[in-house]
Amino acid sequence: MTTTDENIVPATEPLAAEQSPRLEWAKHAPEVWKAMLRLDKAATQGLDPKLSELVKIRASQLNHCAFCLDMHTKDALAAGESVERIVQLAAWEESRHFYTEKELAAIELTEAVTVLTDGFVPDEVYGKAAAHFGEAELAQLISAIAVINTWNRFGVTCRLTPGHYRPGQHA
């Protein structure tokens, strides 16, 4: 059996070759990377860690950022999130009973902010979030959504390699 990392389930056949990153942007733009870490910490301040990780996972699913999915599923598990809720997040609309109304409002807002195909966040979606979050917490949530979307763009563009992150590594 073959494995490339202790977190990957052993395969009965050899695994596909791991892709190298296109660009190690943090190495070449270290001040931007440091600023992003500070921004991420500031954006999630005051938010429930499990909620924050659910938001990061959902945005990363939508943006197809494998590196961020690897990181935030591991961080969510380390924060006490269940495997079941993480797995069901990709189909949250059919799995609403796994989440609180507040979490659902945050997940729906995450989708609206992440996928701006209509060019705006619908009033109904924003209103649901505003009903569950005070203004300060809502501002933090919107910030956290914007920041994970920026991280996703770095990860996808530079094709950062998933599978090697350890929970809390960038804390």
Side-chain angles (χ1 to χ4, degrees), residues 3-68:
T3 61
T4 58
D5 185 43
E6 70 269 5
N7 295 319
I8 298 175
V9 177
T12 56
E13 297 178 30
L15 299 175
E18 184 175 282
Q19 289 185 331
S20 297
R22 285 181 176 157
L23 176 70
E24 293 182 37
W25 76 270
K27 176 181 170 184
H28 298 290
E31 293 307 313
V32 176
W33 185 74
K34 290 176 197 173
M36 283 296 299
L37 288 174
R38 289 189 306 273
L39 183 59
D40 194 327
K41 186 173 182 173
T44 57
Q45 197 167 33
L47 290 178
D48 175 81
K50 288 185 193 177
L51 177 69
S52 176
E53 294 303 333
L54 288 175
V55 163
K56 290 175 179 182
I57 292 166
R58 187 61 190 136
S60 299
Q61 288 171 336
L62 293 166
N63 289 321
H64 304 277
C65 185
F67 181 83
C68 292

Short mmCIF file of all heavy atoms in Angstrom, two decimals, residues 3-68:
data_model
loop_
_atom_site.label_atom_id
_atom_site.label_comp_id
_atom_site.label_asym_id
_atom_site.label_seq_id
_atom_site.Cartn_x
_atom_site.Cartn_y
_atom_site.Cartn_z
N THR A 3 1.22 5.48 0.66
CA THR A 3 0.71 6.73 1.23
C THR A 3 1.78 7.79 1.06
O THR A 3 2.96 7.49 1.03
CB THR A 3 0.37 6.62 2.73
OG1 THR A 3 1.56 6.29 3.44
CG2 THR A 3 -0.69 5.58 3.00
N THR A 4 1.35 9.04 0.95
CA THR A 4 2.31 10.14 0.88
C THR A 4 2.31 10.95 2.15
O THR A 4 3.14 11.80 2.34
CB THR A 4 1.99 11.07 -0.31
OG1 THR A 4 0.67 11.57 -0.14
CG2 THR A 4 2.14 10.34 -1.63
N ASP A 5 1.37 10.68 3.02
CA ASP A 5 1.23 11.46 4.25
C ASP A 5 0.38 10.63 5.20
O ASP A 5 -0.52 9.91 4.76
CB ASP A 5 0.54 12.80 3.92
CG ASP A 5 0.47 13.74 5.10
OD1 ASP A 5 1.46 13.88 5.84
OD2 ASP A 5 -0.59 14.32 5.27
N GLU A 6 0.61 10.70 6.49
CA GLU A 6 -0.15 9.87 7.42
C GLU A 6 -1.63 10.23 7.45
O GLU A 6 -2.45 9.47 7.93
CB GLU A 6 0.45 9.94 8.83
CG GLU A 6 0.28 11.27 9.55
CD GLU A 6 1.43 12.24 9.31
OE1 GLU A 6 2.34 11.95 8.53
OE2 GLU A 6 1.39 13.30 9.92
N ASN A 7 -2.01 11.38 6.91
CA ASN A 7 -3.42 11.78 6.89
C ASN A 7 -4.17 11.25 5.68
O ASN A 7 -5.38 11.38 5.60
CB ASN A 7 -3.53 13.31 6.91
CG ASN A 7 -3.00 13.88 8.20
OD1 ASN A 7 -3.24 13.33 9.26
ND2 ASN A 7 -2.26 14.95 8.11
N ILE A 8 -3.48 10.65 4.74
CA ILE A 8 -4.12 10.13 3.54
C ILE A 8 -4.34 8.64 3.73
O ILE A 8 -3.45 7.91 4.14
CB ILE A 8 -3.26 10.41 2.29
CG1 ILE A 8 -3.13 11.92 2.09
CG2 ILE A 8 -3.87 9.76 1.06
CD1 ILE A 8 -2.20 12.31 0.96
N VAL A 9 -5.54 8.18 3.43
CA VAL A 9 -5.89 6.77 3.58
C VAL A 9 -5.06 5.95 2.61
O VAL A 9 -4.91 6.32 1.44
CB VAL A 9 -7.40 6.57 3.31
CG1 VAL A 9 -7.77 5.10 3.39
CG2 VAL A 9 -8.22 7.39 4.29
N PRO A 10 -4.52 4.83 3.07
CA PRO A 10 -3.72 3.98 2.17
C PRO A 10 -4.53 3.57 0.94
O PRO A 10 -5.71 3.25 1.03
CB PRO A 10 -3.39 2.76 3.03
CG PRO A 10 -3.54 3.22 4.44
CD PRO A 10 -4.61 4.28 4.41
N ALA A 11 -3.89 3.59 -0.20
CA ALA A 11 -4.53 3.21 -1.45
C ALA A 11 -4.09 1.81 -1.84
O ALA A 11 -3.02 1.36 -1.46
CB ALA A 11 -4.14 4.21 -2.55
N THR A 12 -4.94 1.14 -2.61
CA THR A 12 -4.57 -0.19 -3.09
C THR A 12 -3.69 -0.09 -4.33
O THR A 12 -3.03 -1.04 -4.70
CB THR A 12 -5.83 -1.02 -3.41
OG1 THR A 12 -6.62 -0.30 -4.35
CG2 THR A 12 -6.62 -1.28 -2.14
N GLU A 13 -3.71 1.07 -4.97
CA GLU A 13 -2.87 1.35 -6.13
C GLU A 13 -2.02 2.58 -5.80
O GLU A 13 -2.38 3.37 -4.93
CB GLU A 13 -3.73 1.65 -7.36
CG GLU A 13 -4.61 0.51 -7.79
CD GLU A 13 -5.47 0.89 -8.98
OE1 GLU A 13 -5.04 1.74 -9.79
OE2 GLU A 13 -6.57 0.35 -9.09
N PRO A 14 -0.93 2.77 -6.52
CA PRO A 14 -0.12 3.98 -6.27
C PRO A 14 -0.95 5.24 -6.49
O PRO A 14 -1.79 5.31 -7.40
CB PRO A 14 1.00 3.89 -7.30
CG PRO A 14 1.06 2.44 -7.68
CD PRO A 14 -0.35 1.92 -7.54
N LEU A 15 -0.71 6.22 -5.65
CA LEU A 15 -1.40 7.50 -5.77
C LEU A 15 -0.81 8.31 -6.92
O LEU A 15 0.35 8.12 -7.29
CB LEU A 15 -1.27 8.30 -4.47
CG LEU A 15 -1.88 7.66 -3.22
CD1 LEU A 15 -1.57 8.51 -2.00
CD2 LEU A 15 -3.38 7.47 -3.37
N ALA A 16 -1.60 9.21 -7.46
CA ALA A 16 -1.11 10.11 -8.50
C ALA A 16 0.03 10.95 -7.93
O ALA A 16 0.10 11.19 -6.73
CB ALA A 16 -2.23 11.02 -8.99
N ALA A 17 0.90 11.40 -8.80
CA ALA A 17 2.02 12.23 -8.37
C ALA A 17 1.51 13.56 -7.82
O ALA A 17 0.55 14.13 -8.33
CB ALA A 17 2.97 12.48 -9.54
N GLU A 18 2.16 14.02 -6.77
CA GLU A 18 1.81 15.31 -6.18
C GLU A 18 2.31 16.43 -7.08
O GLU A 18 3.45 16.41 -7.55
CB GLU A 18 2.47 15.42 -4.80
CG GLU A 18 2.11 16.67 -4.05
CD GLU A 18 2.70 16.66 -2.65
OE1 GLU A 18 2.13 15.97 -1.77
OE2 GLU A 18 3.72 17.34 -2.45
N GLN A 19 1.44 17.42 -7.34
CA GLN A 19 1.84 18.55 -8.15
C GLN A 19 2.65 19.52 -7.31
O GLN A 19 2.36 19.73 -6.14
CB GLN A 19 0.62 19.29 -8.70
CG GLN A 19 -0.12 18.56 -9.77
CD GLN A 19 -1.24 19.42 -10.34
OE1 GLN A 19 -1.80 20.26 -9.68
NE2 GLN A 19 -1.55 19.17 -11.61
N SER A 20 3.64 20.10 -7.92
CA SER A 20 4.41 21.15 -7.26
C SER A 20 3.67 22.47 -7.40
O SER A 20 2.96 22.68 -8.38
CB SER A 20 5.79 21.29 -7.91
OG SER A 20 6.52 20.10 -7.74
N PRO A 21 3.84 23.37 -6.42
CA PRO A 21 3.21 24.68 -6.57
C PRO A 21 3.76 25.39 -7.81
O PRO A 21 4.91 25.18 -8.20
CB PRO A 21 3.64 25.43 -5.31
CG PRO A 21 4.14 24.40 -4.37
CD PRO A 21 4.60 23.24 -5.19
N ARG A 22 2.92 26.23 -8.40
CA ARG A 22 3.39 27.05 -9.52
C ARG A 22 4.36 28.10 -9.02
O ARG A 22 5.34 28.41 -9.69
CB ARG A 22 2.21 27.80 -10.16
CG ARG A 22 1.33 26.97 -11.00
CD ARG A 22 0.22 27.85 -11.56
NE ARG A 22 -0.61 27.10 -12.48
CZ ARG A 22 -1.85 27.44 -12.76
NH1 ARG A 22 -2.40 28.52 -12.22
NH2 ARG A 22 -2.55 26.72 -13.61
N LEU A 23 4.05 28.64 -7.86
CA LEU A 23 4.85 29.72 -7.29
C LEU A 23 4.70 29.68 -5.78
O LEU A 23 3.60 29.55 -5.26
CB LEU A 23 4.32 31.08 -7.81
CG LEU A 23 4.96 32.34 -7.24
CD1 LEU A 23 6.40 32.48 -7.76
CD2 LEU A 23 4.14 33.56 -7.62
N GLU A 24 5.81 29.75 -5.08
CA GLU A 24 5.78 29.84 -3.62
C GLU A 24 5.67 31.32 -3.27
O GLU A 24 6.65 31.96 -2.89
CB GLU A 24 7.02 29.18 -3.04
CG GLU A 24 7.05 27.68 -3.27
CD GLU A 24 8.27 27.02 -2.65
OE1 GLU A 24 8.69 27.45 -1.55
OE2 GLU A 24 8.79 26.11 -3.28
N TRP A 25 4.45 31.85 -3.42
CA TRP A 25 4.25 33.30 -3.31
C TRP A 25 4.63 33.85 -1.96
O TRP A 25 5.14 34.96 -1.87
CB TRP A 25 2.82 33.70 -3.71
CG TRP A 25 1.79 33.40 -2.67
CD1 TRP A 25 1.07 32.27 -2.53
CD2 TRP A 25 1.36 34.28 -1.62
NE1 TRP A 25 0.23 32.36 -1.45
CE2 TRP A 25 0.38 33.59 -0.88
CE3 TRP A 25 1.71 35.56 -1.23
CZ2 TRP A 25 -0.25 34.15 0.23
CZ3 TRP A 25 1.08 36.12 -0.12
CH2 TRP A 25 0.11 35.41 0.59
N ALA A 26 4.41 33.10 -0.88
CA ALA A 26 4.76 33.59 0.45
C ALA A 26 6.27 33.82 0.57
O ALA A 26 6.71 34.76 1.23
CB ALA A 26 4.30 32.60 1.52
N LYS A 27 7.04 32.99 -0.10
CA LYS A 27 8.50 33.14 -0.10
C LYS A 27 8.92 34.39 -0.87
O LYS A 27 9.85 35.08 -0.47
CB LYS A 27 9.12 31.89 -0.76
CG LYS A 27 10.61 31.93 -0.92
CD LYS A 27 11.08 30.66 -1.61
CE LYS A 27 12.54 30.75 -2.03
NZ LYS A 27 12.95 29.56 -2.77
N HIS A 28 8.22 34.70 -1.94
CA HIS A 28 8.60 35.82 -2.79
C HIS A 28 7.89 37.13 -2.44
O HIS A 28 8.32 38.19 -2.90
CB HIS A 28 8.35 35.47 -4.26
CG HIS A 28 9.18 34.30 -4.71
ND1 HIS A 28 10.54 34.38 -4.87
CD2 HIS A 28 8.83 33.02 -4.99
CE1 HIS A 28 11.01 33.20 -5.24
NE2 HIS A 28 9.99 32.36 -5.32
N ALA A 29 6.84 37.03 -1.65
CA ALA A 29 6.12 38.22 -1.18
C ALA A 29 5.86 38.08 0.32
O ALA A 29 4.73 38.07 0.77
CB ALA A 29 4.81 38.39 -1.95
N PRO A 30 6.93 37.98 1.11
CA PRO A 30 6.77 37.68 2.54
C PRO A 30 6.00 38.75 3.31
O PRO A 30 5.29 38.43 4.26
CB PRO A 30 8.21 37.54 3.05
CG PRO A 30 9.04 38.30 2.07
CD PRO A 30 8.35 38.13 0.74
N GLU A 31 6.12 40.00 2.92
CA GLU A 31 5.39 41.05 3.63
C GLU A 31 3.89 40.95 3.37
O GLU A 31 3.08 41.23 4.26
CB GLU A 31 5.94 42.43 3.27
CG GLU A 31 7.36 42.66 3.77
CD GLU A 31 7.54 42.38 5.26
OE1 GLU A 31 6.71 42.86 6.07
OE2 GLU A 31 8.52 41.69 5.62
N VAL A 32 3.52 40.55 2.17
CA VAL A 32 2.10 40.34 1.85
C VAL A 32 1.59 39.16 2.67
O VAL A 32 0.51 39.22 3.28
CB VAL A 32 1.89 40.10 0.35
CG1 VAL A 32 0.43 39.78 0.05
CG2 VAL A 32 2.36 41.30 -0.46
N TRP A 33 2.35 38.07 2.71
CA TRP A 33 1.96 36.89 3.48
C TRP A 33 1.77 37.25 4.96
O TRP A 33 0.76 36.89 5.56
CB TRP A 33 3.00 35.79 3.30
CG TRP A 33 2.64 34.50 3.96
CD1 TRP A 33 1.70 33.60 3.55
CD2 TRP A 33 3.19 33.97 5.16
NE1 TRP A 33 1.64 32.53 4.41
CE2 TRP A 33 2.55 32.74 5.42
CE3 TRP A 33 4.18 34.40 6.04
CZ2 TRP A 33 2.85 31.94 6.50
CZ3 TRP A 33 4.50 33.61 7.13
CH2 TRP A 33 3.83 32.39 7.36
N LYS A 34 2.72 37.99 5.52
CA LYS A 34 2.61 38.39 6.93
C LYS A 34 1.39 39.28 7.15
O LYS A 34 0.69 39.16 8.15
CB LYS A 34 3.88 39.11 7.38
CG LYS A 34 5.09 38.21 7.49
CD LYS A 34 6.32 39.04 7.84
CE LYS A 34 7.60 38.29 7.58
NZ LYS A 34 8.78 39.16 7.76
N ALA A 35 1.15 40.20 6.22
CA ALA A 35 -0.02 41.08 6.32
C ALA A 35 -1.32 40.27 6.24
O ALA A 35 -2.28 40.55 6.97
CB ALA A 35 0.02 42.15 5.23
N MET A 36 -1.35 39.27 5.38
CA MET A 36 -2.53 38.41 5.26
C MET A 36 -2.77 37.63 6.56
O MET A 36 -3.91 37.48 6.99
CB MET A 36 -2.39 37.44 4.08
CG MET A 36 -2.62 38.07 2.73
SD MET A 36 -4.31 38.67 2.49
CE MET A 36 -5.26 37.16 2.67
N LEU A 37 -1.71 37.14 7.18
CA LEU A 37 -1.86 36.44 8.45
C LEU A 37 -2.45 37.37 9.52
O LEU A 37 -3.35 36.97 10.27
CB LEU A 37 -0.51 35.89 8.93
CG LEU A 37 0.05 34.69 8.17
CD1 LEU A 37 1.45 34.36 8.68
CD2 LEU A 37 -0.87 33.49 8.28
N ARG A 38 -1.94 38.61 9.56
CA ARG A 38 -2.48 39.58 10.52
C ARG A 38 -3.93 39.92 10.20
O ARG A 38 -4.77 40.02 11.10
CB ARG A 38 -1.63 40.85 10.54
CG ARG A 38 -0.25 40.67 11.17
CD ARG A 38 0.50 41.98 11.40
NE ARG A 38 0.63 42.80 10.20
CZ ARG A 38 1.63 42.70 9.31
NH1 ARG A 38 2.58 41.79 9.50
NH2 ARG A 38 1.68 43.49 8.27
N LEU A 39 -4.24 40.09 8.92
CA LEU A 39 -5.61 40.39 8.50
C LEU A 39 -6.54 39.24 8.84
O LEU A 39 -7.66 39.46 9.34
CB LEU A 39 -5.64 40.68 6.99
CG LEU A 39 -6.98 41.08 6.39
CD1 LEU A 39 -7.53 42.34 7.05
CD2 LEU A 39 -6.83 41.27 4.89
N ASP A 40 -6.11 38.02 8.61
CA ASP A 40 -6.92 36.85 8.93
C ASP A 40 -7.23 36.80 10.42
O ASP A 40 -8.37 36.58 10.83
CB ASP A 40 -6.18 35.58 8.49
CG ASP A 40 -7.05 34.35 8.47
OD1 ASP A 40 -7.97 34.23 9.28
OD2 ASP A 40 -6.82 33.49 7.60
N LYS A 41 -6.21 37.03 11.23
CA LYS A 41 -6.40 37.01 12.69
C LYS A 41 -7.37 38.12 13.11
O LYS A 41 -8.27 37.90 13.93
CB LYS A 41 -5.05 37.18 13.40
CG LYS A 41 -5.14 37.03 14.89
CD LYS A 41 -3.77 37.04 15.54
CE LYS A 41 -3.91 36.82 17.03
NZ LYS A 41 -2.63 36.67 17.69
N ALA A 42 -7.22 39.30 12.54
CA ALA A 42 -8.11 40.42 12.87
C ALA A 42 -9.54 40.14 12.41
O ALA A 42 -10.51 40.46 13.12
CB ALA A 42 -7.59 41.72 12.24
N ALA A 43 -9.69 39.55 11.24
CA ALA A 43 -11.02 39.30 10.67
C ALA A 43 -11.81 38.27 11.47
O ALA A 43 -13.04 38.36 11.54
CB ALA A 43 -10.89 38.84 9.22
N THR A 44 -11.15 37.31 12.06
CA THR A 44 -11.86 36.25 12.79
C THR A 44 -11.98 36.53 14.29
O THR A 44 -12.61 35.75 15.00
CB THR A 44 -11.17 34.89 12.56
OG1 THR A 44 -9.81 34.98 12.96
CG2 THR A 44 -11.26 34.47 11.11
N GLN A 45 -11.41 37.61 14.73
CA GLN A 45 -11.47 37.97 16.15
C GLN A 45 -12.93 38.12 16.59
O GLN A 45 -13.71 38.82 15.96
CB GLN A 45 -10.71 39.27 16.38
CG GLN A 45 -10.36 39.53 17.82
CD GLN A 45 -9.36 40.67 17.93
OE1 GLN A 45 -9.36 41.60 17.13
NE2 GLN A 45 -8.50 40.58 18.91
N GLY A 46 -13.27 37.43 17.65
CA GLY A 46 -14.62 37.51 18.19
C GLY A 46 -15.60 36.54 17.56
O GLY A 46 -16.73 36.42 18.03
N LEU A 47 -15.21 35.86 16.50
CA LEU A 47 -16.08 34.85 15.89
C LEU A 47 -15.84 33.49 16.55
O LEU A 47 -14.72 33.17 16.93
CB LEU A 47 -15.82 34.72 14.39
CG LEU A 47 -16.23 35.88 13.50
CD1 LEU A 47 -15.84 35.58 12.05
CD2 LEU A 47 -17.72 36.17 13.61
N ASP A 48 -16.89 32.70 16.65
CA ASP A 48 -16.76 31.35 17.15
C ASP A 48 -15.80 30.59 16.22
O ASP A 48 -15.99 30.62 14.99
CB ASP A 48 -18.13 30.68 17.16
CG ASP A 48 -18.05 29.22 17.55
OD1 ASP A 48 -17.97 28.94 18.75
OD2 ASP A 48 -18.05 28.38 16.63
N PRO A 49 -14.78 29.93 16.76
CA PRO A 49 -13.80 29.24 15.91
C PRO A 49 -14.41 28.19 14.98
O PRO A 49 -13.99 28.07 13.83
CB PRO A 49 -12.83 28.60 16.90
CG PRO A 49 -12.97 29.40 18.14
CD PRO A 49 -14.40 29.87 18.17
N LYS A 50 -15.41 27.44 15.47
CA LYS A 50 -16.04 26.44 14.61
C LYS A 50 -16.79 27.10 13.46
O LYS A 50 -16.70 26.65 12.32
CB LYS A 50 -17.00 25.56 15.42
CG LYS A 50 -16.32 24.59 16.35
CD LYS A 50 -17.39 23.72 16.99
CE LYS A 50 -16.87 22.93 18.15
NZ LYS A 50 -17.94 22.15 18.78
N LEU A 51 -17.51 28.17 13.75
CA LEU A 51 -18.23 28.90 12.70
C LEU A 51 -17.25 29.47 11.68
O LEU A 51 -17.46 29.37 10.47
CB LEU A 51 -19.08 30.02 13.31
CG LEU A 51 -19.81 30.90 12.29
CD1 LEU A 51 -20.92 30.12 11.60
CD2 LEU A 51 -20.35 32.13 12.96
N SER A 52 -16.18 30.05 12.18
CA SER A 52 -15.16 30.61 11.30
C SER A 52 -14.61 29.55 10.36
O SER A 52 -14.45 29.79 9.16
CB SER A 52 -14.03 31.22 12.15
OG SER A 52 -13.00 31.69 11.35
N GLU A 53 -14.33 28.37 10.87
CA GLU A 53 -13.79 27.29 10.03
C GLU A 53 -14.83 26.79 9.04
O GLU A 53 -14.50 26.49 7.89
CB GLU A 53 -13.25 26.14 10.88
CG GLU A 53 -12.03 26.51 11.70
CD GLU A 53 -10.85 27.04 10.91
OE1 GLU A 53 -10.70 26.70 9.71
OE2 GLU A 53 -10.06 27.81 11.48
N LEU A 54 -16.10 26.71 9.43
CA LEU A 54 -17.15 26.30 8.49
C LEU A 54 -17.22 27.27 7.31
O LEU A 54 -17.34 26.87 6.16
CB LEU A 54 -18.51 26.21 9.19
CG LEU A 54 -18.72 25.05 10.15
CD1 LEU A 54 -20.07 25.18 10.85
CD2 LEU A 54 -18.60 23.71 9.45
N VAL A 55 -17.15 28.56 7.63
CA VAL A 55 -17.18 29.60 6.59
C VAL A 55 -15.97 29.44 5.66
O VAL A 55 -16.10 29.51 4.43
CB VAL A 55 -17.22 31.00 7.25
CG1 VAL A 55 -16.84 32.10 6.28
CG2 VAL A 55 -18.59 31.25 7.86
N LYS A 56 -14.81 29.22 6.24
CA LYS A 56 -13.59 29.07 5.43
C LYS A 56 -13.65 27.82 4.56
O LYS A 56 -13.23 27.84 3.40
CB LYS A 56 -12.36 29.04 6.34
CG LYS A 56 -12.07 30.37 6.99
CD LYS A 56 -10.93 30.28 7.99
CE LYS A 56 -10.63 31.61 8.62
NZ LYS A 56 -9.48 31.53 9.55
N ILE A 57 -14.19 26.75 5.11
CA ILE A 57 -14.32 25.52 4.33
C ILE A 57 -15.30 25.73 3.18
O ILE A 57 -15.02 25.35 2.03
CB ILE A 57 -14.78 24.34 5.22
CG1 ILE A 57 -13.67 23.98 6.21
CG2 ILE A 57 -15.16 23.12 4.36
CD1 ILE A 57 -14.13 23.06 7.34
N ARG A 58 -16.46 26.34 3.46
CA ARG A 58 -17.46 26.50 2.40
C ARG A 58 -16.94 27.39 1.28
O ARG A 58 -17.11 27.06 0.09
CB ARG A 58 -18.77 27.06 2.97
CG ARG A 58 -19.89 27.08 1.93
CD ARG A 58 -20.20 25.67 1.44
NE ARG A 58 -21.09 25.72 0.27
CZ ARG A 58 -20.93 24.99 -0.82
NH1 ARG A 58 -19.93 24.14 -0.92
NH2 ARG A 58 -21.77 25.10 -1.81
N ALA A 59 -16.31 28.50 1.60
CA ALA A 59 -15.75 29.36 0.56
C ALA A 59 -14.69 28.61 -0.24
O ALA A 59 -14.65 28.69 -1.47
CB ALA A 59 -15.15 30.63 1.17
N SER A 60 -13.87 27.84 0.45
CA SER A 60 -12.81 27.09 -0.23
C SER A 60 -13.38 26.00 -1.13
O SER A 60 -12.81 25.70 -2.19
CB SER A 60 -11.85 26.49 0.81
OG SER A 60 -11.25 27.53 1.56
N GLN A 61 -14.51 25.39 -0.73
CA GLN A 61 -15.17 24.42 -1.60
C GLN A 61 -15.63 25.12 -2.88
O GLN A 61 -15.41 24.61 -3.99
CB GLN A 61 -16.39 23.80 -0.90
CG GLN A 61 -16.05 22.85 0.20
CD GLN A 61 -17.27 22.42 1.00
OE1 GLN A 61 -18.29 23.13 1.05
NE2 GLN A 61 -17.17 21.27 1.65
N LEU A 62 -16.27 26.26 -2.72
CA LEU A 62 -16.79 27.00 -3.87
C LEU A 62 -15.69 27.46 -4.81
O LEU A 62 -15.86 27.49 -6.03
CB LEU A 62 -17.62 28.19 -3.41
CG LEU A 62 -18.91 27.84 -2.68
CD1 LEU A 62 -19.47 29.06 -1.97
CD2 LEU A 62 -19.93 27.25 -3.64
N ASN A 63 -14.54 27.82 -4.23
CA ASN A 63 -13.41 28.32 -5.02
C ASN A 63 -12.45 27.22 -5.46
O ASN A 63 -11.46 27.50 -6.12
CB ASN A 63 -12.64 29.37 -4.21
CG ASN A 63 -13.42 30.66 -4.07
OD1 ASN A 63 -14.10 31.09 -5.00
ND2 ASN A 63 -13.35 31.28 -2.90
N HIS A 64 -12.73 25.98 -5.07
CA HIS A 64 -11.91 24.82 -5.45
C HIS A 64 -10.46 24.97 -4.98
O HIS A 64 -9.52 24.60 -5.68
CB HIS A 64 -11.95 24.58 -6.96
CG HIS A 64 -13.33 24.40 -7.48
ND1 HIS A 64 -13.99 23.20 -7.42
CD2 HIS A 64 -14.19 25.28 -8.04
CE1 HIS A 64 -15.20 23.35 -7.93
NE2 HIS A 64 -15.35 24.61 -8.31
N CYS A 65 -10.29 25.49 -3.77
CA CYS A 65 -8.95 25.66 -3.23
C CYS A 65 -8.60 24.47 -2.34
O CYS A 65 -8.95 24.41 -1.16
CB CYS A 65 -8.83 26.97 -2.44
SG CYS A 65 -7.13 27.27 -1.90
N ALA A 66 -7.90 23.51 -2.93
CA ALA A 66 -7.55 22.28 -2.22
C ALA A 66 -6.65 22.55 -1.01
O ALA A 66 -6.80 21.92 0.04
CB ALA A 66 -6.87 21.30 -3.18
N PHE A 67 -5.70 23.47 -1.16
CA PHE A 67 -4.80 23.80 -0.06
C PHE A 67 -5.60 24.32 1.14
O PHE A 67 -5.40 23.87 2.28
CB PHE A 67 -3.78 24.84 -0.51
CG PHE A 67 -2.80 25.21 0.56
CD1 PHE A 67 -1.67 24.44 0.79
CD2 PHE A 67 -2.99 26.34 1.34
CE1 PHE A 67 -0.76 24.78 1.79
CE2 PHE A 67 -2.09 26.68 2.33
CZ PHE A 67 -0.97 25.90 2.56
N CYS A 68 -6.52 25.25 0.90
CA CYS A 68 -7.31 25.82 1.99
C CYS A 68 -8.29 24.80 2.57
O CYS A 68 -8.55 24.81 3.77
CB CYS A 68 -8.04 27.08 1.52
SG CYS A 68 -6.92 28.46 1.17
#
